[in-house]
Amino acid sequence: MFTRCREFSGKLLHLSCSISFKPSRSLCSPQLSTLHFSSLHSFLAYSPGPRLSFQHPLPARSSFPLLQSDKVIRNLSGFPHSAGHMDLQGVLEVLEHLAPLSLAESWDNVGLLVEPSKPRPVKTILLTNDLTTAVMDEAVAMTCDLIVSYHPPLFRPFKRLLQKDWKQRLTIRAIEGGIAIFSPHTSWDSVEGGVNDWLVGGMGSGQVSVLSQAHSSGPQKHRLEFSSMNKEELNSLLEQLRHIEGSETFQCSTIRNESGGQQVNLTCNSSALTSAVQILVSNPHASKSLNITQVQQPPLLGCGQGRLSVLDKPVSVSTAVQKMKTHLGLPHLRLALGDQQTLDSMVKTVAVCAGSGASVIQGVKADLYITGEMSHHEVLDAASKGTSVILSEHSNSERGFLTVFRDRLAARLGDTVTVSVSQRDRDPLQVI
């Protein structure tokens, strides 16, 4: 396995690598190496012998900067500052650079949710965990231009906008007031240095890994393996494939097999898969040998849902509770001790997921789970396995990140934009 990265326009890396697949004697030949070609014609014109090239669009690591104090400013130093003021599109570019929306879960509703009809300079931004009536009152009072609401206030489709529903009322007020609304949600959870890294950081330093790895959001690719009787037959097939729309993105390799024929590997996007297969199945020899494999997208290192930390300095359960109270700024937390555990039991491994994290952390082997909420039976299941559980209530596990993000966003936008954290935003549940 080898890896080679190239930079294109400063934004996109193409990762060339060998891909693991079912062994074949011919494909393991020492003649196999790497060749890049722009079209099938240029490939056929290459005389020393075809080689293999798989390319995957992979955003550069710097596209997902470590959102940690001085590092984020340094990583984004090449990003243009506003001159006099910044419009909405300019602010969105900064927001999406800090946490690309492609990192969000497929079920989520992220990005710009409300766009004013009349463009105006963005001078005031309000960050909130939830957009409630109280927060909207606050935004209107401060003449806010953009609300960044971590949780998307618009999630399920509306068939009408009426005053009888509180979310519809908020949408109407934003539209009437010319206030834009943007939601990052799970893109903030996934990005390296985002909400989950901030949450696990409350336990102190440790070796942190991602629980549910994020992968590139580039086009899905498929590998077609087939054989041809001779080079003439192969040339005929490749000439037909060249006329498929999008064929300029194909990658192909051939190697002579023991019978004197050609063993072929062709990689194409999903959009071209049906057309390519139709051509190959029309050829008797290629049809009999055709094998189709989906190529896994490359991982985005450091990005994904949930975190597991192996602490550098293990602490007691009691100390872990105090650390999280301080980190989250809360007077109370809920604790379930794992079976055979006490407040003095030592915690070496911690699994965290902001919000309602059971679907991510459940089943992970750890001494302690930290999340916002879990169901009664999910807590019982964890405790039965000896894992203690700390619950803070849903949004309390997320809200503290707003002040961290405020400083990072303000550093990028400059003095012309005021970035504030809502004073009216709070978890609806309180311990009294």
Side-chain angles (χ1 to χ4, degrees), residues 22 36 43 80 86 117-118 125 189 198 220 223 297 351 363 395:
K22 184 169 62 178
H36 294 274
F43 165 70
M86 184 170 285
S117 60
K118 296 180 180 180
I125 299 174
D189 295 344
W198 165 80
Q220 180 62 61
R223 182 175 61 249
Q297 298 284 36
S395 66

Side-chain angles (χ1 to χ4, degrees), residues 317-330:
V317 173
S318 178
T319 300
V321 170
Q322 293 303 317
K323 279 179 169 288
M324 293 312 298
K325 282 183 178 180
T326 300
H327 188 61
L328 300 177
L330 298 174

Side-chain angles (χ1 to χ4, degrees), residues 15-311:
L15 176 65
S16 297
C17 62
S18 61
I19 306 293
S20 299
F21 48 86
K22 184 169 62 178
S24 167
R25 290 183 61 187
S26 59
L27 292 178
C28 294
S29 165
Q31 299 178 39
L32 193 62
S33 55
T34 301
L35 167 70
H36 294 274
F37 56 93
S38 59
S39 69
L40 293 173
H41 273 311
S42 60
F43 165 70
L44 293 172
Y46 185 73
S47 57
R51 308 176 189 179
L52 178 64
S53 173
F54 292 109
Q55 296 183 338
H56 295 269
L58 177 63
R61 184 69 174 265
S62 60
S63 295
F64 307 103
L66 288 173
L67 301 185
Q68 297 171 349
S69 58
D70 60 322
K71 291 185 179 181
V72 68
I73 299 174
R74 181 170 67 253
N75 286 346
L76 294 176
S77 59
F79 207 85
H81 284 274
S82 59
H85 70 272
M86 184 170 285
D87 61 14
L88 178 59
Q89 186 57 44
V91 175
L92 294 178
E93 289 176 2
V94 174
L95 286 169
E96 294 180 28
H97 188 88
L98 291 173
L101 298 179
S102 60
L103 290 175
E105 296 296 291
S106 59
W107 50 262
D108 207 356
N109 188 36
V110 296
L112 185 63
L113 304 183
V114 174
E115 181 179 15
S117 60
K118 296 180 180 180
R120 69 187 192 190
V122 176
K123 298 180 180 179
T124 304
I125 299 174
L126 183 64
L127 306 182
T128 184
N129 205 83
D130 293 288
L131 181 53
T132 60
T133 300
V135 174
M136 180 59 80
D137 290 342
E138 181 182 14
V140 171
M142 64 192 300
T143 318
C144 178
D145 303 300
L146 170 64
I147 297 173
V148 176
S149 177
Y150 168 77
H151 286 137
L154 305 181
F155 194 78
R156 294 180 177 86
F158 291 157
K159 291 186 176 181
R160 54 183 58 86
L161 291 176
L162 302 176
Q163 293 296 322
K164 64 181 182 180
D165 178 83
W166 70 276
K167 287 190 175 182
Q168 293 176 32
R169 288 197 299 271
L170 292 178
T171 304
I172 293 169
R173 290 185 66 183
I175 294 171
E176 292 177 340
I179 302 173
I181 300 176
F182 175 91
S183 178
H185 203 200
T186 52
S187 65
W188 275 14
D189 295 344
S190 179
V191 73
E192 183 176 16
V195 177
N196 281 308
D197 282 312
W198 165 80
L199 182 60
V200 78
M203 287 296 298
S205 62
Q207 183 178 347
V208 178
S209 57
V210 176
L211 291 179
S212 180
Q213 179 67 57
H215 290 78
S216 171
S217 59
Q220 180 62 61
K221 292 180 178 290
H222 296 267
R223 182 175 61 249
L224 285 68
E225 302 173 65
F226 61 95
S227 60
S228 64
M229 295 183 63
N230 49 54
K231 191 171 182 179
E232 290 71 25
E233 183 181 70
L234 172 61
N235 288 345
S236 175
L237 287 171
L238 293 181
E239 178 61 26
Q240 295 177 65
L241 292 168
R242 188 179 69 83
H243 289 90
I244 295 176
E245 183 177 357
S247 64
E248 65 277 0
T249 65
F250 289 4
Q251 292 91 46
C252 186
S253 73
T254 68
I255 192 168
R256 183 174 296 176
N257 56 34
E258 295 176 348
S259 62
Q262 300 286 324
Q263 183 70 31
V264 186
N265 275 267
L266 175 72
T267 303
C268 67
N269 292 340
S270 292
S271 59
L273 178 63
T274 300
S275 297
V277 170
Q278 288 175 339
I279 291 173
L280 295 176
V281 298
S282 66
N283 179 281
H285 196 80
S287 177
K288 290 180 181 179
S289 59
L290 180 61
N291 182 47
I292 304 173
T293 307
Q294 182 173 304
V295 179
Q296 184 178 4
Q297 298 284 36
L300 300 176
L301 301 181
C303 297
Q305 300 300 320
R307 298 292 186 270
L308 176 68
S309 179
V310 180
L311 300 178

